[in-house]
Amino acid sequence: MNGQSRKNIHAGLTVDIVLKQDQRTGKRTRGVVKDILTNSPNHPHGIKVRLTDGQVGRVQEIVQAP
C-alpha cells in the first residue's frame, strides 16, 4: 500500500520511508511511525512522518499494520 493518503497512516505502523538526503537515490529506510507531520489528507510524494528512532521522511510504502 502506498503512503500518499494520510488516513492509511497511524502511529505504530511499520513503513518504508525515503529520507531527505536519499531522495535522489530513492534508498528506503524501514521503521515504525511515531508522529505524522503532514497535515493535508493527501500528498503526491508521500506523507511525511517521524519514526520512533527520530528519522524524518516521506512514506513510500506501508509494510504492515501492528
Side-chain angles (χ1 to χ4, degrees), residues 4-5 7 9 14-15 18 23 30 39-40 56 58 64:
Q4 296 179 347
S5 183
K7 69 177 187 225
I9 299 169
T14 301
V15 295
V18 171
Q23 283 179 347
R30 185 161 291 181
N39 290 325
S40 65
V56 174
R58 295 197 180 272
Q64 72 181 81

Side-chain angles (χ1 to χ4, degrees), residues 17-27 29 45 48-49 55-58 60:
I17 66 167
V18 171
L19 302 171
K20 182 76 171 176
Q21 65 267 27
D22 294 332
Q23 283 179 347
R24 275 184 200 267
T25 63
K27 178 179 172 255
T29 303
H45 301 297
K48 189 178 280 188
V49 297
Q55 297 185 93
V56 174
R58 295 197 180 272
Q60 298 301 300

Side-chain angles (χ1 to χ4, degrees), residues 35-66:
D35 301 311
I36 300 173
L37 304 177
T38 299
N39 290 325
S40 65
N42 297 297
H43 195 284
H45 301 297
I47 300 298
K48 189 178 280 188
V49 297
R50 179 179 295 116
L51 302 180
T52 53
D53 62 3
Q55 297 185 93
V56 174
R58 295 197 180 272
V59 177
Q60 298 301 300
E61 188 172 0
I62 298 171
V63 179
Q64 72 181 81

